[in-house]
Amino acid sequence: MADVSLQTTPRVRSGRRNLRLWLPLAWITTLGLAALFAPLIAPHDPLYQDLFLERLPPFFMSGTEPGYWLGTDSLGRDVLSRVIYGTRIALCVSLIAATATCLVGSTLGLLAGYFGGWWDRVISRLIEIWMAFPPVLFAVLLVAVMGTGLTSVIVAIALIDWTRFARVIRAETMVQAQMDYVDSAQIGGARRLTTLVSEILPNVLPSIVALLMLEMGIAVIVEAILSFVNLSLSSDVATWGSMIAEGRNAIHFAWWVLLFPLIALFLTVLSFSQLGEGLKQRFDPVLQ
Amino acid sequence: MTMSSTLNIQNLTVSLRSGLPLLRQVNLTLEPGEVRALVGESGAGKSMIGKAVLGTLPPATRVTRGQIFLRGQALDHLNAAQRRHCVAQSAALIPQDPLTALNPVRRIAPQITDPLTRIHGWSAERAQTRALELLDRVEIRDPARVMRSYPHELSGGMRQRILIAAAFAPSPPLIVADEPTTALDVTVQKQILKLIRELQKEVGTAVLFVTHDMGVVAKISQKVSVLFQGRVMEDSTTEAIFSNPTHPYTRALIAATPSYADPARSFSPVPPELIAQMKSKIAQEEIL
């Protein structure tokens, strides 16, 4: 009989690693629910202006009006309601833009890394040329050309940031392509594309997921930046970026207008990046 | 004869892009059911022959001259897809390093059965049954459980057994064994060698056995090709090689094998003068 026995690896997972996965997940789920049920949760209409109630402080300060938990802005609009409605834009942009970016970048990275030759030469040059453009200027130009609006923001993010995926995934694919199991699959008669999709892709998937999560955070920031410079959506839609932009003028005497969307933005971006790392560790059978 | 041989290599020259030859006009034949050992020091081109046959030469190298006939079919007349199909139908590989030769993120079962269903057109059940049978044959204790495992859950010796089972599963006419015991410790080496020899006899497969160990050559092969710097120095039966080696390099290689009886005295490296002499001879022939 064989003298080597089957070892089963116990799934040891430290509490800290669990927190890294569950805390961000909790925050993002909260955001998702808030976005979905915004009309039910929000205490006020996010666009309703009441100039008699302008710049009310949040609930823990004196001089508040009941029902305006996080205060109001310079036009008397409820900050809490605007933050809640802002999650719709933030999540929508992060999901669609990051997924589009991921699809474009990962596909090009996989093709360049595995097929090499002309594929690699063309895609690598494209990446280098792309990265020579200053990204913010590029985004502003793109939105200026295509016109403001959510679609333009999403297209701009995907067009600018695909290089982030392409570079990393290309390098990881090249490492995997040299492994013996790729040769074995070829000798076993697998077609090149089959080998890429069913042998190599699962090995780079943890990195793709981690990058995707990171990209979701970045997409939220880019949307906020474009809102900040008034290039995202018209001002009658509540977004975190436009709230921060408006709150900037009154930061000395009505800081809450700026602070609460900023906290939401910060927590969201942090959650996405932590979730990426947590998922990467969870996904990878070897790291488990 | 060409038509009846499992493998027939004629004047095969493989070079780096820079022009440096790795194999120089190699000729060898392998009859059905025969085991031929390829011996030589590292860098002699032993593995290159196997890679050239299986179509897994590194990207920086190419066949510059010569022909390979696999069961009478000239491989260089086929396009990439036909060639891959032809190789997958007639040949399999037992790789050198069991740690990288299995895909870390895929379970064992599909890694054995994929070529059976894909190339040999077996049903999933038939492939599954055959895989279990072979795993049992290579003395793996709980085949059903091992089939569901990931490679990292198994020891190096077990993985090498799995790779042997996978190679023999379709009963291919040709198996290239690329130093299948080098990565294993000595006790496991012996068992693995025994398994390969037994299965080879049962299945009637011809084996191209790459090794640098003259002890292994004596145990497993009927024919031997001695390689030096990509050139076949001697091609003979195993018996003749050990009883009456004609080339001084072969004699030196046999002398360099340590004996268990007298390890301290028996080890004598290949004399550097001989190597220098052979190198200059090859260089001279190259100029002519």
Side-chain angles (χ1 to χ4, degrees):
Chain A
M1 278 308 286
D3 60 342
V4 270
S5 63
L6 186 75
Q7 319 149 2
T8 45
T9 29
R11 296 193 164 193
V12 189
R13 237 177 259 126
S14 66
R16 253 179 69 195
R17 205 194 276 178
N18 266 333
L19 277 187
R20 204 176 200 187
L21 198 60
W22 294 116
L23 272 183
L25 215 53
W27 173 251
I28 290 164
T29 313
T30 313
L31 283 188
L33 292 175
L36 218 56
F37 300 111
L40 300 176
I41 304 166
H44 297 273
D45 182 341
L47 302 176
Y48 179 73
Q49 304 179 3
D50 187 341
L51 293 179
F52 292 109
L53 293 174
E54 58 158 9
R55 290 185 187 131
L56 283 178
F59 69 94
F60 47 82
M61 289 167 68
S62 57
T64 58
E65 193 77 21
Y68 292 89
W69 292 99
L70 299 183
T72 59
D73 66 8
S74 57
L75 295 173
R77 296 175 295 193
D78 181 36
V79 171
L80 178 61
S81 304
R82 287 177 72 73
V83 169
I84 290 173
Y85 271 89
T87 57
R88 289 188 152 185
I89 306 298
L91 284 189
C92 184
V93 168
S94 69
L95 275 177
I96 299 173
T99 309
T101 314
C102 174
L103 284 178
V104 175
S106 302
T107 307
L108 290 177
L110 281 165
L111 291 174
Y114 184 53
F115 288 109
W118 279 106
W119 285 95
D120 189 28
R121 251 168 274 170
V122 171
I123 293 171
S124 294
R125 286 307 89 74
L126 210 58
I127 293 173
E128 282 158 20
I129 293 166
W130 228 261
M131 285 176 50
F133 275 80
V136 176
L137 185 66
F138 197 17
V140 170
L141 273 176
L142 272 172
V143 175
V145 169
M146 290 186 294
T148 56
L150 211 53
T151 323
S152 313
V153 174
I154 288 167
V155 170
I157 291 172
L159 274 183
I160 291 161
D161 250 7
W162 64 271
T163 54
R164 187 192 308 275
F165 284 84
R167 271 182 311 152
V168 176
I169 299 308
R170 171 182 169 268
E172 292 226 354
T173 306
M174 287 173 95
V175 172
Q176 293 297 329
Q178 284 169 1
M179 296 286 188
D180 288 350
Y181 70 81
V182 175
D183 278 351
S184 293
Q186 290 287 290
I187 296 164
R191 279 182 297 153
R192 299 268 284 165
L193 201 61
T194 313
T195 310
L196 181 60
V197 173
S198 64
E199 303 280 339
I200 293 178
L201 179 61
N203 279 288
V204 295
L205 201 59
S207 300
I208 293 182
V209 170
L211 278 176
L212 176 65
M213 292 297 143
L214 196 66
E215 188 61 36
M216 286 187 176
I218 290 167
V220 176
I221 291 185
V222 172
E223 194 280 323
I225 290 173
L226 290 176
S227 295
F228 190 82
V229 295
N230 240 331
L231 279 174
S232 176
L233 288 158
S234 51
S235 51
D236 58 354
V237 182
T239 69
W240 295 345
S242 61
M243 291 178 76
I244 294 167
E246 285 160 20
R248 191 173 53 118
N249 303 321
I251 191 170
H252 298 296
F253 45 94
W255 46 264
W256 52 88
V257 180
L258 176 122
L259 187 70
F260 293 115
L262 202 61
I263 290 174
L265 185 69
F266 170 77
L267 283 178
T268 309
V269 175
L270 186 68
S271 295
F272 274 127
S273 71
Q274 290 305 301
L275 187 64
E277 272 307 303
L279 280 178
K280 183 175 180 172
Q281 286 171 353
R282 187 81 189 249
F283 253 77
D284 198 329
V286 185
L287 281 179
Q288 261 182 23
Chain B
M1 268 314 294
T2 309
M3 291 314 287
S4 67
S5 300
T6 304
L7 179 68
N8 185 357
I9 298 177
Q10 292 178 348
N11 281 321
L12 181 69
T13 301
V14 170
S15 310
L16 284 175
R17 282 230 184 91
S18 61
L20 180 78
L22 300 176
L23 292 178
R24 302 165 205 250
Q25 302 190 34
V26 168
N27 287 297
L28 66 83
T29 56
L30 193 61
E31 302 305 325
E34 187 178 68
V35 180
R36 177 181 283 275
L38 300 176
V39 285
E41 54 194 87
S42 37
K46 311 179 294 274
S47 299
M48 276 301 150
I49 295 179
K51 286 185 202 294
V53 172
L54 297 173
T56 53
L57 282 172
T61 61
R62 56 197 40 176
V63 175
T64 45
R65 209 183 335 157
Q67 278 191 312
I68 301 170
F69 297 91
L70 188 57
R71 299 170 82 197
Q73 171 71 57
L75 289 182
D76 57 344
H77 291 167
L78 305 175
N79 68 29
Q82 288 170 331
R83 192 198 149 104
R84 195 167 50 235
H85 195 79
C86 177
V87 166
Q89 274 198 321
S90 322
L93 170 74
I94 303 175
Q96 176 169 11
D97 185 358
L99 301 185
T100 61
L102 288 165
N103 192 335
V105 299
R106 301 185 74 202
R107 293 178 197 276
I108 299 297
Q111 304 201 46
I112 303 179
T113 57
D114 267 1
L116 299 178
T117 51
R118 184 168 50 211
I119 294 299
H120 301 275
W122 294 15
S123 69
E125 297 80 55
R126 185 173 167 209
Q128 176 88 5
T129 315
R130 177 70 173 157
L132 287 171
E133 180 192 331
L134 257 295
L135 285 182
D136 189 53
R137 184 64 194 77
V138 296
E139 294 167 7
I140 277 172
R141 236 176 267 165
D142 191 352
R145 186 161 139 209
V146 168
M147 290 273 275
R148 288 191 303 269
S149 305
Y150 285 102
H152 71 273
E153 295 168 341
L154 310 165
S155 70
M158 279 183 96
R159 287 189 229 184
Q160 191 58 280
R161 284 161 204 269
I162 289 167
L163 290 164
I164 290 169
F168 279 102
S171 311
L174 170 68
I175 284 182
V176 176
D178 190 357
E179 305 202 37
T181 57
T182 352
L184 305 168
D185 65 67
V186 182
T187 48
V188 184
Q189 269 184 26
K190 212 174 155 189
Q191 299 169 350
I192 295 288
L193 214 57
K194 187 165 153 272
L195 269 175
I196 294 178
R197 199 173 46 202
E198 287 172 4
L199 275 167
Q200 183 264 328
K201 281 190 183 134
E202 279 173 35
V203 177
T205 298
V207 177
L208 203 58
F209 199 101
V210 176
T211 181
H212 54 249
D213 188 338
M214 291 305 273
V216 171
V217 173
K219 282 194 196 89
I220 204 159
S221 68
Q222 289 103 48
K223 299 270 182 65
V224 184
S225 295
V226 180
L227 283 129
F228 178 80
Q229 296 224 322
R231 169 157 305 205
V232 179
M233 304 313 270
E234 184 159 3
D235 176 351
S236 183
T237 62
T238 308
E239 232 178 71
I241 285 272
F242 282 98
S243 62
N244 184 25
T246 53
H247 200 279
Y249 182 63
T250 314
R251 279 200 290 274
L253 272 187
I254 294 170
T257 312
S259 108
Y260 289 105
D262 192 1
R265 261 210 313 181
S266 68
F267 181 74
S268 55
V270 177
E273 310 88 69
L274 176 62
I275 289 180
Q277 189 193 333
M278 283 160 57
K279 275 186 181 165
S280 71
K281 198 177 166 204
I282 287 175
Q284 273 174 13
E285 285 173 12
E286 212 94 299
I287 293 162
L288 296 171

